[in-house]
Amino acid sequence: PNRAQNRSGPGAAPNACIDIASLSPYNGKRWKIKGRIITKSDVRKFNGARGPGQLFKIEITDGSGAEIAATFFGTGVDQYFDQLKTHQVYYF
């Protein structure tokens, strides 16, 4: 995820963002959404069939008000938990 910024020119926020309500398994492998994190859980540690692990969850809303949940596992927790802030807007 990249933090949304007011920029123009190369590297600017892409116009090709898709609304959350438009996401489907038929969109292909590549998509990008712009959304605000509305909730973020604490890190949860667990022991599963493949050994110990960790996760945290977020809920994201876009400009239309549609919502989606995302779960980060393993090294994604280490990489993004401190970086992602509630009420901030990011590109995913």
Side-chain angles (χ1 to χ4, degrees), residues 10-21:
N15 293 330
C17 289
I18 188 168
D19 291 335
I20 289 172

Side-chain angles (χ1 to χ4, degrees), residues 8-43:
S8 61
N15 293 330
C17 289
I18 188 168
D19 291 335
I20 289 172
S22 299
L23 289 173
S24 83
Y26 307 106
N27 290 115
K29 292 193 285 186
R30 300 259 182 215
W31 50 262
K32 190 169 281 196
I33 60 172
K34 179 181 178 182
R36 179 178 308 277
I37 297 176
I38 53 176
T39 63
K40 178 179 156 185
S41 74
D42 292 330
V43 174

Side-chain angles (χ1 to χ4, degrees), residues 17-85:
C17 289
I18 188 168
D19 291 335
I20 289 172
S22 299
L23 289 173
S24 83
Y26 307 106
N27 290 115
K29 292 193 285 186
R30 300 259 182 215
W31 50 262
K32 190 169 281 196
I33 60 172
K34 179 181 178 182
R36 179 178 308 277
I37 297 176
I38 53 176
T39 63
K40 178 179 156 185
S41 74
D42 292 330
V43 174
R44 193 180 109 211
K45 308 265 185 198
F46 62 89
N47 285 308
R50 292 186 240 173
Q54 60 182 354
L55 66 85
F56 79 96
K57 298 179 181 187
I58 61 173
E59 290 183 350
I60 306 162
T61 186
D62 64 13
S64 73
E67 297 179 9
I68 193 168
T71 304
F72 292 76
F73 291 93
T75 58
V77 174
D78 299 328
Q79 184 173 359
Y80 293 111
F81 184 78
D82 291 330
Q83 181 180 338
L84 297 175
K85 307 291 183 196

